[in-house]
Amino acid sequence: MRIRADLDLCQGHAVCQAEAPEVFTVPKRGRVEILDDAPTGEHEPAVANAIRYCPTQALSIADAGATDPSPKGTD
Ligand code: SF4
């Protein structure tokens, strides 16, 4: 699991910080800062909630090291 934040979308609501304070911090009138972009399993449920409840959908998961192995052909 690797977390990404789109800072163009983030509006500093800090819902993410409320859900997973070990992983996200949001300064006053600032935008999200990811404290741990590859959290261990114990934090995954909280991170999932943060992603789900972020009002601007600024957070997402990217697979670490993924290089898009999907074929580019058509079906
Ligand atoms: S909940 Fe979403 S919009 Fe709010 S600070 Fe976190 S990432 Fe930004």
Side-chain angles (χ1 to χ4, degrees), residues 11-65:
Q11 295 179 2
H13 297 287
V15 175
C16 53
Q17 179 180 279
E19 295 291 343
E22 297 86 0
V23 178
F24 304 104
T25 188
V26 184
K28 274 196 174 152
R29 289 192 286 276
R31 284 183 271 193
V32 65
E33 295 172 12
I34 298 176
L35 302 174
D36 180 2
D37 72 353
T40 54
E42 67 176 308
H43 295 307
E44 286 189 15
V47 169
N49 282 338
I51 292 170
R52 181 176 308 131
Y53 296 124
C54 170
T56 64
Q57 300 183 334
L59 301 174
S60 60
I61 295 290
D63 282 334

